[in-house]
Amino acid sequence: MKAKVHITLKGGVLDPQGKAIAHALLSLGFAGIGGVRQGKYIEIELAERDRAKAEAEVDAMCRKLLANTVIENYAIELES
Amino acid sequence: MKAKVHITLKGGVLDPQGKAIAHALLSLGFAGIGGVRQGKYIEIELAERDRAKAEAEVDAMCRKLLANTVIENYAIELES
Amino acid sequence: MKAKVHITLKGGVLDPQGKAIAHALLSLGFAGIGGVRQGKYIEIELAERDRAKAEAEVDAMCRKLLANTVIENYAIELES
Amino acid sequence: MKAKVHITLKGGVLDPQGKAIAHALLSLGFAGIGGVRQGKYIEIELAERDRAKAEAEVDAMCRKLLANTVIENYAIELES
């Protein structure tokens, strides 16, 4: 099973990298750009075949290692 | 409309950050971990409301600024 | 003149990427590893030749764009 | 001993993040900006007190885990 994890800064946290991209797109002539936010995307191959167990396992990975939950949100998607 | 862009290293390109995460997960006691790959995830708010035009625009953004297409792939998803 | 900017998470802010590297190094057999912290490193070529002006300019860049000063510290080094 | 490691993309490798920052700085009114390159900065606390051994150890860490030496360069600095 493959887990796809999105880690993004929480709404209130400034995102300099997203801001740089927004400014750069505007200066390259792209119009109608609102906010840009940059996050991390992590794909993990799992041997676990039980969906509920896989989700619980990846949730633990996020809380223990992958995300700083004070400033970041995470979302987990499973693909069999 | 919101564009969600995933930028990932191409298959053949070594990914030290993904490798570090895989080793770390194993050392924390998570078993059954296959490969881990880390990429970037970018969300862009667009004023454009035409789906085809929005996709073409974001594709141009990826080629001109967001991705290094020699070593990275990108995928675009639109959400209205 | 070239500016070298180091952007690092403040002391109290958890650093999942640094933690992943530390665990990975230990699991690869490297011993005697204390904390690991990961930051960003940015090199900027400047036309400005006056050292004080260059420093003030790069300081403004950090505050306006490059760093999130709520959670990150930055340090500027100039090389002529 | 503390090791400071700089990991930067090799000269020939396109750096989208650096390019985004350069465009953003220009659009914010900063003039006289030449190229911008973004890399990673990693600090590692080491128990090792012998300088030569510490350097060899960190060099091995870079080759085995921290850098993708096909597309990245690394530089090691030791601070006692």
Side-chain angles (χ1 to χ4, degrees):
Chain A
M1 198 174 291
K2 184 187 273 186
K4 299 180 167 186
V5 181
H6 289 83
I7 297 169
T8 47
L9 285 169
K10 289 191 176 175
V13 181
L14 258 177
D15 172 7
Q17 226 126 11
K19 208 167 132 189
I21 292 172
H23 279 290
L25 290 174
L26 292 169
S27 88
L28 285 170
F30 292 101
I33 309 272
V36 176
R37 304 280 288 172
Q38 177 166 335
K40 280 177 262 179
Y41 171 63
I42 301 171
E43 288 184 353
I44 306 170
E45 295 284 349
L46 300 167
E48 182 60 63
R49 303 182 73 154
D50 178 282
R51 220 174 166 74
K53 282 187 196 160
E55 183 146 10
E57 203 181 6
V58 178
D59 190 80
M61 292 175 191
C62 288
R63 282 182 288 105
K64 285 193 192 155
L65 184 77
L66 302 176
N68 176 344
T69 54
V70 178
I71 53 170
E72 293 170 329
N73 289 323
Y74 62 88
I76 299 165
E77 215 178 311
L78 292 174
E79 201 173 71
S80 48
Chain B
M1 196 173 292
K2 184 189 271 187
K4 299 179 167 188
V5 181
H6 290 83
I7 297 169
T8 47
L9 285 169
K10 289 189 176 177
V13 181
L14 260 178
D15 173 7
Q17 226 127 10
K19 211 168 131 189
I21 292 171
H23 279 289
L25 290 173
L26 292 169
S27 88
L28 285 171
F30 292 101
I33 307 272
V36 176
R37 305 280 288 171
Q38 178 167 337
K40 279 176 263 179
Y41 172 62
I42 301 170
E43 289 184 351
I44 306 170
E45 295 283 350
L46 298 168
E48 182 61 62
R49 305 183 71 153
D50 178 282
R51 223 174 163 74
K53 281 186 196 160
E55 183 146 12
E57 203 180 8
V58 177
D59 190 81
M61 291 175 191
C62 288
R63 283 181 288 103
K64 286 193 192 156
L65 183 76
L66 302 176
N68 177 346
T69 54
V70 178
I71 53 171
E72 294 170 328
N73 289 323
Y74 62 87
I76 299 164
E77 215 179 309
L78 293 173
E79 200 174 73
S80 48
Chain C
M1 197 174 291
K2 185 188 273 187
K4 299 178 167 188
V5 180
H6 289 82
I7 297 170
T8 48
L9 285 169
K10 290 189 177 177
V13 182
L14 259 177
D15 172 8
Q17 225 125 14
K19 210 167 130 189
I21 292 172
H23 279 288
L25 290 173
L26 292 170
S27 88
L28 286 170
F30 291 101
I33 308 273
V36 176
R37 304 280 288 171
Q38 178 167 335
K40 280 177 263 179
Y41 172 62
I42 300 170
E43 288 183 353
I44 306 169
E45 294 285 349
L46 299 168
E48 181 62 63
R49 305 183 71 154
D50 179 283
R51 219 171 168 76
K53 282 185 197 163
E55 183 146 11
E57 203 180 6
V58 178
D59 190 81
M61 291 176 193
C62 288
R63 283 181 289 102
K64 284 192 194 158
L65 183 77
L66 302 176
N68 176 346
T69 53
V70 178
I71 53 171
E72 294 171 328
N73 289 323
Y74 62 87
I76 299 164
E77 215 179 309
L78 292 173
E79 202 173 71
S80 49
Chain D
M1 198 173 291
K2 185 189 272 187
K4 298 178 169 190
V5 180
H6 290 83
I7 297 171
T8 48
L9 285 169
K10 289 190 178 177
V13 181
L14 259 176
D15 173 7
Q17 225 125 12
K19 211 167 129 188
I21 293 172
H23 279 289
L25 290 174
L26 292 169
S27 88
L28 285 170
F30 291 102
I33 308 272
V36 175
R37 305 280 287 172
Q38 177 168 337
K40 278 176 263 180
Y41 172 62
I42 300 170
E43 288 184 353
I44 306 169
E45 294 285 350
L46 300 167
E48 182 60 62
R49 302 182 73 153
D50 180 281
R51 220 175 167 73
K53 282 187 196 160
E55 183 145 12
E57 202 181 7
V58 178
D59 191 80
M61 292 176 191
C62 288
R63 283 181 290 100
K64 285 193 193 155
L65 183 79
L66 303 176
N68 176 346
T69 55
V70 178
I71 53 170
E72 295 171 327
N73 289 322
Y74 61 88
I76 299 164
E77 217 177 309
L78 292 173
E79 203 172 69
S80 49

